[in-house]
Amino acid sequence: MTGAWIVALVALVVAVVAYGHSRRTARQLAQMTEMYWQLKFDHGELRAKVDPPAPVAARPQETFVPLTQLKR
C-alpha cells in the first residue's frame, strides 16, 4: 500500500513540474511572438521611411477604334 502512495506522489510531483514548465514555455512563446510582430512592424516603418516612393506609371490613352478601321 505504501508503494502505491509513493508512486502516486511522485506522479503528482512530476505532473506539477511539467505543468509549470509548460506554462513557462507558453509565456515565452507569447513573448517571442509579440517581439516578432513588433520587429516586423518596425522594419516596415523603417523601409517606408528609407525607400523613395515609386513613380506612378502614366496611364495609357484609351481611344475608340471603330471596327471598320481594323478591316482595312
Side-chain angles (χ1 to χ4, degrees):
M1 188 70 145
T2 307
W5 279 105
I6 292 174
V7 170
L9 246 131
V10 169
L12 180 64
V13 168
V14 169
V16 168
V17 169
Y19 180 73
H21 182 65
S22 67
R23 298 263 303 173
R24 185 171 47 255
T25 303
R27 195 170 40 249
Q28 287 175 344
L29 177 63
Q31 185 180 19
M32 292 293 285
T33 303
E34 177 66 29
M35 288 169 56
Y36 168 78
W37 287 112
Q38 185 64 41
L39 181 64
K40 191 171 177 107
F41 177 77
D42 291 344
H43 180 261
E45 281 189 336
L46 288 174
R47 188 178 348 163
K49 286 181 183 177
V50 172
D51 289 344
V56 178
R59 219 173 121 172
Q61 191 91 9
E62 292 182 17
T63 57
F64 176 75
V65 178
L67 288 176
T68 57
Q69 290 285 345
L70 295 176
K71 289 183 180 179
R72 293 184 194 177

